[in-house]
Amino acid sequence: MTDSSKALPPVVDAKEWQRELDALRVREKAATRELDAIAAQRRRLPMVELPDYTLQSAEGPVRLVDLFEGRSQLITYNHMWFPGKQWQCPGCTGFTSQFTRLDFLDRYDARFVIVTQGPIDEALAYKERVGNQMPWYSTADSPFGADVGAPPGGGFAVNVFLRNGDTAYRTWHTDGRGCEQLSHSFALIDALPYGRQEEWQDSPEGWPKSPTYSRWMESQAYAELYGAAGA
């Protein structure tokens, strides 16, 4: 890691600082308008009718339409799963740890849940171990995960669904860095003078740099902070 004690932005007077900020604000506003346009295009996407999948819940088998719990819209996060591992993906563990108060989605007729390839008993035990607050479901005995871009041994993904009566439709999907727009953690870090401090980022000479992912919290750290043992 690079020593940040000498990595400082240039010092200017308040007028020069405001001029620089105003120039950046032009680009920030343009990015906001582009995100609005992307969201508008997303609302105009077609959709795909889905089979009547059966998943596993804490209470037993449930149909995909049951995950909506009467709502018309559903977001799922497909949490990566490694069979036999005590600690699952730290990125997925950290990403989903952010979502502790999801009741506001009720006003938008929507729900947000986790789906994983892990067996439901193991998934629920992991949820307890790391103190996760989201509802979890298992697609271990269903092709659902594979059909929505998160097969066994595969990566993470976000999918969005719309329910019309007793039929569910897939409306949107993203994975990789496409999931960042749903996260507040990177937005906060990117606002900092030193940013994420990862090697791939474009930063001034002398800014602190670390290998990618090296500053991310491990799954054990989430368990110590929020899990049953930590509590």
Side-chain angles (χ1 to χ4, degrees):
M1 295 185 182
T2 305
D3 179 14
S4 63
S5 61
K6 298 180 181 178
L8 298 171
V11 178
V12 297
D13 62 32
K15 289 185 178 180
E16 175 63 19
W17 177 83
Q18 188 63 54
R19 281 194 295 269
E20 294 283 351
L21 179 63
D22 291 343
L24 176 62
R25 187 59 40 79
V26 171
R27 298 186 65 184
E28 290 175 339
K29 291 295 186 181
T32 297
R33 289 190 291 271
E34 177 62 14
L35 287 173
D36 287 343
I38 290 170
Q41 183 176 350
R42 186 182 296 120
R43 289 191 292 271
R44 288 166 172 79
L45 284 174
M47 60 187 184
V48 178
E49 182 175 346
L50 297 177
D52 190 15
Y53 294 104
T54 298
L55 286 73
Q56 297 294 322
S57 73
E59 290 76 35
V62 291
R63 301 166 62 201
L64 175 60
V65 293
D66 296 330
L67 270 61
F68 289 77
E69 290 195 341
R71 300 166 182 84
S72 67
Q73 301 167 103
L74 174 71
I75 304 168
T76 64
Y77 181 81
N78 290 88
H79 196 295
M80 293 176 68
W81 190 266
F82 304 99
K85 297 291 186 180
Q86 180 183 14
W87 302 110
Q88 298 300 326
C89 170
C92 291
T93 303
F95 179 85
T96 55
S97 73
Q98 301 172 83
F99 304 107
T100 59
R101 297 177 178 175
L102 292 167
D103 294 335
F104 69 92
L105 287 174
D106 290 343
R107 297 194 173 207
Y108 295 88
D109 194 21
R111 192 172 186 232
F112 186 17
V113 304
I114 292 176
V115 176
T116 186
Q117 291 286 352
I120 189 61
D121 290 347
E122 295 180 22
L124 293 176
Y126 186 71
K127 163 186 164 76
E128 178 74 12
R129 189 178 309 132
V130 298
N132 190 278
Q133 300 297 305
M134 295 179 68
W136 283 56
Y137 298 89
S138 170
T139 187
D141 302 318
S142 166
F144 173 75
D147 289 351
V148 297
F156 58 93
V158 170
N159 283 278
V160 181
F161 307 92
L162 183 66
R163 181 180 65 85
N164 184 22
D166 216 26
T167 303
Y169 300 85
R170 189 184 187 200
T171 65
W172 187 68
H173 164 270
T174 193
D175 55 19
R177 293 193 64 199
C179 298
E180 285 186 9
Q181 63 180 289
L182 306 179
S183 165
H184 69 252
S185 60
F186 288 122
L188 289 173
I189 295 168
D190 285 342
L192 297 171
Y194 296 135
R196 303 186 197 187
Q197 304 178 41
E198 295 190 351
E199 292 171 332
W200 61 270
Q201 284 201 295
D202 181 0
S203 297
E205 185 68 28
W207 251 229
K209 292 279 191 176
S210 310
T212 303
Y213 310 127
S214 63
R215 292 181 183 269
W216 291 26
M217 283 175 56
E218 296 296 328
S219 299
Q220 298 95 313
Y222 288 101
E224 291 170 1
L225 287 170
Y226 311 117

